[in-house]
Amino acid sequence: MSQSDVKIIKANKNLKEKVGTGDIAATRVEASQNMIENNEVDFEPMAAEFLDALADGVKHCQGTAGDERTAALQSMVKPVMDLKANAQMFGYPLVTELANIMLNFLESVETPDNDVIAIVDAHRKTLMLIIKSKMSGPIGQKGMVLIDELKKACARYYAKKDIEEKPTQ
Amino acid sequence: MALQLQRLRILVVEDNNNMRELIASVLDNLGIGRVFTASGGSRVFELMQENEPDIVILDWQMPEMDGLEVTKMIRKDPESPDPFIPIIVITGYNSLERVKIARDAGVTEFLIKPFKATDVAKRIEHVINHPRDFVSTADFFGPDRRRKVDKNYNGPKRRKEDKLKALDW
């Protein structure tokens, strides 16, 4: 591309002129955080929806091979991402922590082989139990054990296949 | 100095009802003047025309039209009410690869779920306090994708130093 095809348009200062510059008051941020932490949304129905989608994703992957299976990976990635994104916001930090490990794992895998699908399915069953047992609130010792086990399962797979976990933000 | 947030108008597009309400409450608690919400991006131009938002917050994964498709539409469609509007994309994805995909779609800021109130506040402060130049090329239109200035960079300078045309608007 020639340089004449590139145009730089100077930053728009309209927003600065409208609301000024500076920070959002710390008291406001604190009030917002309190609101997040004390929201009373019931995560269970949402979780059930995501876990059903994950079960479908697992089945879908099991029923495919080759390029079709590579494409099917996203059917597991999306519900895992939804679990990771929403669980902590609605009181289940352990679910977010575990789903985050699983999300990074799935984002590092190109084609899910049977080992990957087995790890995801075991993870799904663990999450179902956590939700069923209402293991909300701070991550306790039991939760730490689950996190450690999942990390180890993923690490064993990375070592076996000689792949590296993709970098995250 | 504190920002005059009561003058700010934000449009939130998120398909998950609970998450949409939570984000709206967070913004309300931060002191944002007007918060408008929608569950999908297909009517985004209409919503922008009706409500004249200063910032749009979009969920990445939505059923009809995802947040990145909406971003590209806002940035590139000739009918767009405001191609330069700051767009904050929220998502559970956190791989650097995904961040790059969002950046290449024309997103201004990237907010990872789960988030804290301070994360939301920082993104809002950033789009107000540090508006970015826009770059227009044959295949990209959006905020300048270079975020960090490397003071030790000794390579060729292909942008301002090459006297690219700067447009005031």
Side-chain angles (χ1 to χ4, degrees):
Chain A
M1 190 189 339
S2 73
Q3 287 171 6
S4 60
D5 293 334
V6 182
K7 285 178 183 165
I8 308 290
I9 300 145
K10 280 194 163 183
N12 179 346
K13 307 258 170 54
N14 292 352
L15 207 45
K16 258 186 179 178
E17 282 160 16
K18 183 172 179 181
V19 301
T21 54
D23 302 327
I24 298 176
T27 49
R28 291 278 194 185
V29 178
E30 201 180 322
S32 283
Q33 186 58 34
N34 286 339
M35 193 280 304
I36 293 174
E37 287 168 13
N38 297 314
N39 84 78
E40 289 178 352
V41 171
D42 181 6
F43 180 59
E44 280 189 60
M46 220 190 299
E49 203 179 297
F50 299 145
L51 286 165
D52 285 349
L54 183 55
D56 290 345
V58 167
K59 268 187 203 155
H60 181 47
C61 283
Q62 282 167 338
T64 56
D67 289 349
E68 215 184 318
R69 185 175 274 192
T70 304
L73 175 65
Q74 292 308 313
S75 64
M76 295 195 295
V77 171
K78 165 77 167 60
V80 170
M81 183 277 288
D82 280 329
L83 284 159
K84 178 251 178 185
N86 290 282
Q88 186 175 309
M89 303 299 299
F90 302 113
Y92 282 78
L94 176 58
V95 172
T96 280
E97 196 64 40
L98 291 166
N100 189 37
I101 296 165
M102 187 50 51
L103 179 63
N104 294 341
F105 176 65
L106 289 175
E107 294 265 72
S108 304
V109 167
E110 208 161 292
T111 303
D113 59 18
N114 291 340
D115 288 346
V116 169
I117 298 173
I119 292 171
V120 174
D121 205 30
H123 165 73
R124 181 184 66 84
K125 287 170 186 163
T126 305
L127 295 183
M128 279 178 74
L129 276 175
I130 293 170
I131 302 291
K132 211 173 179 183
S133 322
K134 299 186 188 296
M135 286 174 71
S136 58
I139 300 171
Q141 213 170 348
K142 278 184 189 169
M144 291 308 294
V145 171
L146 293 172
I147 290 168
D148 193 46
E149 279 174 5
L150 182 58
K151 276 184 182 168
K152 281 179 181 163
C154 297
R156 279 195 297 273
Y157 184 85
Y158 292 138
K160 187 177 163 187
K161 302 287 175 179
D162 197 21
I163 56 173
E164 279 182 17
E165 191 176 339
K166 281 193 180 165
T168 55
Q169 171 96 323
Chain B
M1 202 171 79
L3 293 162
Q4 304 295 305
L5 293 178
Q6 70 278 8
R7 302 184 69 189
L8 202 62
R9 303 162 75 88
I10 298 184
L11 171 64
V12 179
V13 186
E14 157 74 76
D15 63 309
N16 180 321
N17 293 346
N18 291 310
M19 185 57 80
R20 187 172 63 248
E21 282 171 23
L22 186 70
I23 295 168
S25 300
V26 167
L27 296 173
D28 195 39
N29 275 279
L30 287 177
I32 307 300
R34 294 292 301 273
V35 180
F36 310 95
T37 62
S39 58
S42 56
R43 286 178 55 242
V44 73
F45 285 179
E46 205 180 314
L47 294 165
M48 285 173 73
Q49 270 155 354
E50 277 171 18
N51 304 305
E52 298 181 336
D54 301 298
I55 296 171
V56 176
I57 296 181
L58 292 171
D59 182 35
W60 183 328
Q61 290 279 351
M62 292 187 287
E64 281 174 24
M65 186 185 258
D66 74 39
L68 299 193
E69 287 174 303
V70 178
T71 299
K72 286 177 189 167
M73 201 168 83
I74 292 173
R75 296 288 184 237
K76 293 179 178 171
D77 193 306
E79 303 286 312
S80 174
D82 185 357
F84 299 96
I85 195 164
I87 298 174
I88 301 173
V89 154
I90 49 169
T91 177
Y93 293 123
N94 55 1
S95 72
L96 289 180
E97 208 172 302
R98 301 267 187 186
V99 176
K100 188 177 177 301
I101 292 169
R103 195 188 61 176
D104 290 347
V107 160
T108 316
E109 290 289 327
F110 195 83
L111 176 64
I112 296 171
K113 290 188 273 190
F115 55 78
K116 290 185 174 166
T118 186
D119 301 322
V120 180
K122 276 181 189 164
R123 299 306 182 287
I124 293 170
E125 286 169 357
H126 203 270
V127 298
I128 296 168
N129 294 327
H130 306 285
R132 284 160 43 205
D133 290 348
F134 265 61
V135 176
S136 174
T137 70
D139 55 5
F140 175 76
F141 181 76
D144 192 339
R145 289 171 284 186
R146 297 170 310 165
R147 299 291 299 268
K148 290 174 185 166
V149 178
D150 182 358
K151 288 176 183 167
N152 298 317
Y153 179 70
N154 285 319
K157 292 173 179 175
R158 287 187 284 262
R159 294 248 173 112
K160 285 179 185 169
E161 289 78 358
D162 284 351
K163 296 177 183 170
L164 291 172
K165 193 177 178 187
L167 302 174
D168 280 309
W169 61 290

